[in-house]
Amino acid sequence: MLDLVISNVRIANREGCFDIGIRDGRIAAIEHALATDAPRQDMCGCLAFGGFVDSHIHLDKACILDRCLICEGTLEEAVRETAKAKAGFTTEDVYARAARVVENAILNGTTAMRTFVEVDPRAGFRSLDAIRQIRRSYAWAIDIQICAFAQEGLTNEPETTDMLDRALTDGADLIGGCPYTDPDPQAHITRIFDLAERHGVDVDFHLDFDLNPSGSAIPAVVAETKRRGYGGRVSIGHATKLSAMSTQAASELAAHLADAGIAVTVLPATDLFLLGRDRDHLIPRGLAPAMLLTGSGVTVTAATNNVLNPFTPYGDASLGRMANLFANVAQLSRDEDIGRAFDMVTVNAALLMRRNYGLEPGATADIVVADAADPLSMIREIRQPIAGWKNGKQTFVRPQPRLLRPAS
């Protein structure tokens, strides 16, 4: 009665190897040995999991290094250069660049992502149209949430509010704001929440993206979240101010975030590249204290953010690599903390996106197999995904490399 068996796989926190039986796009059974005549793919003891989940990426402005200057390497320059470039974006151009990144993400084991898409007088709706097409084109391999995003403010460009409203009507899944680029951050936060309530969608802010410990916008977002009963529906990215605070001050804000039900996404590649440029020695890492936040009960994720643009002139959409980068920079060593780094790009990210996740009978058969013994080796060694399935249909294969030893 099974359509397929993915056999001889390891599963995190379970002893031994298992067979995963798939029927009608769902996991029908997980047993040490399934007796069936269904087609079988032997994965030779490799690790199976639900795939990586990228909770924060910008597909619309990826791969634009050929049209931008990077002289200062600062956030201000990145916003400025990208604003100039996106005025010339076409739907076809955005689609082609986004497809390049999405295909890399699929090959690197990602089964779901949340992408921010800028909607404003410069971008118009061209990027949104392109990413909606991307979502349809690659639905066979990856689920894509679209966050209509105000990168360059609202109070300074009131027309952006109406454009975001239309984007939410025309297919965007949630709303995103960026208070630190707005002349009136509090009004920006309020307007984003107003749009979210009007359309019944979640909220995701870029927030506190600097190394000045004062002036955090977290209290304002916490207050709005609680006032509107939006717990579990709000997330913030960057939050690098927390890294510049004392442990006591950061812990107090972490407790407020946990109490309000607000998730936090750490973005290692971008935060490391852009921050601390004014220092000539002892340059700070500038990452939000993820382990402190996790210990306070906050849902914490790690994500790609930008790829090959002025915000991050690197990237391959590999969340295994990103989790390794985070673990290295955060100086993680204990097994339990390395495990948490794996959770940040899998189960935690799915929770932030309010997705069902995991390998259990009845679950959607979204499965990735990696050349690893367990999640710890996958993060420590950046072990590679070798095969993936979406709704029970195989989406990619990456043959394992092998040495060609001399005959002697």
Side-chain angles (χ1 to χ4, degrees):
M1 298 293 291
L2 297 175
D3 301 324
L4 171 70
V5 175
I6 302 171
S7 70
N8 196 15
V9 296
R10 298 182 187 275
I11 298 175
N13 303 316
R14 303 188 193 183
E15 291 295 326
C17 288
F18 294 84
D19 291 352
I20 302 175
I22 298 171
R23 182 174 60 242
D24 296 331
R26 293 190 172 275
I27 297 174
I30 300 178
E31 298 179 12
H32 284 293
L34 283 172
T36 176
D37 293 330
R40 182 179 295 267
Q41 289 191 236
D42 186 352
M43 303 313 299
C44 303
C46 290
L47 175 70
F49 64 109
F52 291 121
V53 179
D54 203 329
S55 58
H56 186 128
I57 193 169
H58 293 262
L59 293 176
D60 58 336
K61 56 190 182 188
C63 308
I64 57 170
L65 286 177
D66 60 335
R67 62 193 84 175
C68 294
L69 294 174
I70 303 178
C71 299
E72 304 160 11
T74 62
L75 174 62
E76 294 75 18
E77 179 187 58
V79 172
R80 183 173 66 247
E81 285 294 309
T82 304
K84 289 190 292 187
K86 74 181 177 184
F89 288 177
T90 66
T91 300
E92 295 75 19
D93 165 52
V94 174
Y95 183 97
R97 290 184 287 103
R100 173 181 168 186
V101 176
V102 168
E103 290 181 11
N104 273 338
I106 294 166
L107 290 169
N108 282 309
T110 297
T111 54
M113 65 170 50
R114 171 180 289 179
T115 181
F116 293 81
V117 180
E118 294 178 26
V119 177
D120 59 32
R122 283 157 300 287
F125 296 99
R126 299 184 301 277
S127 294
L128 178 64
D129 290 343
I131 301 304
R132 288 171 62 199
Q133 291 178 35
I134 286 286
R135 179 169 61 184
R136 291 191 296 269
S137 296
Y138 290 93
W140 55 272
I142 190 169
D143 295 327
I144 298 177
Q145 280 188 359
I146 297 175
C147 181
F149 178 51
Q151 169 73 77
E152 297 174 59
L154 288 178
T155 65
N156 51 325
E157 289 185 336
E159 58 268 45
T160 299
T161 301
D162 292 334
M163 296 179 72
L164 291 170
D165 187 56
R166 176 179 157 188
L168 290 167
T169 300
D170 289 348
D173 301 296
L174 69 156
I175 185 78
C178 191
Y180 58 77
T181 62
D182 197 299
D184 190 341
Q186 177 61 64
H188 183 107
I189 291 167
T190 300
R191 292 185 188 184
I192 291 295
F193 269 104
D194 287 343
L195 284 165
E197 277 198 315
R198 184 180 308 159
H199 291 272
V201 299
D202 293 358
V203 178
D204 200 331
F205 286 106
H206 290 46
L207 208 69
D208 285 8
F209 193 14
D210 59 54
L211 297 179
N212 180 352
S214 64
S216 173
I218 288 175
V221 173
V222 167
E224 287 292 332
T225 301
K226 288 186 170 183
R227 184 170 74 84
R228 299 171 191 253
Y230 245 60
R233 305 189 65 180
V234 179
S235 47
I236 62 175
H238 299 293
T240 54
K241 278 183 181 289
L242 291 170
S243 72
M245 297 179 186
S246 68
T247 299
Q248 179 179 347
S251 295
E252 289 174 359
L253 284 178
H256 290 307
L257 288 166
D259 182 58
I262 298 172
V264 176
T265 298
V266 179
L267 302 162
T270 300
D271 298 349
L272 288 167
F273 178 73
L274 291 177
L275 296 180
R277 293 281 181 166
D278 58 333
R279 316 290 174 88
D280 62 4
H281 66 287
L282 290 178
I283 297 170
R285 295 182 179 91
L287 294 187
M291 294 299 106
L292 181 152
L293 291 163
T294 297
S296 298
V298 179
T299 297
V300 183
T301 74
T304 297
N305 197 37
N306 281 286
V307 177
L308 300 175
N309 69 16
F311 293 87
T312 317
Y314 319 103
D316 58 357
S318 166
L319 283 177
R321 185 180 65 82
M322 196 60 63
N324 172 277
L325 174 63
F326 162 75
N328 197 330
V329 173
Q331 299 178 314
L332 305 185
S333 58
R334 299 185 304 171
D335 286 358
E336 61 189 280
D337 288 337
I338 300 297
R340 290 187 180 116
F342 181 79
D343 289 345
M344 288 167 64
V345 291
T346 54
V347 62
N348 289 7
L351 180 61
L352 180 151
M353 292 172 58
R354 299 208 284 149
R355 292 177 53 83
N356 293 325
Y357 184 89
L359 302 184
E360 298 290 344
T364 301
D366 293 352
I367 302 167
V368 169
V369 175
D371 182 19
D374 54 36
L376 303 185
S377 63
M378 187 157 189
I379 300 305
R380 284 193 167 112
E381 304 175 47
I382 321 181
R383 307 296 292 181
Q384 295 300 309
I386 57 174
W389 291 260
K390 183 73 176 164
N391 297 314
K393 303 292 185 182
Q394 189 158 9
T395 55
F396 75 91
V397 61
R398 291 176 66 160
Q400 294 166 281
R402 60 188 181 91
L403 293 175
L404 302 177
R405 299 184 185 278
S408 60

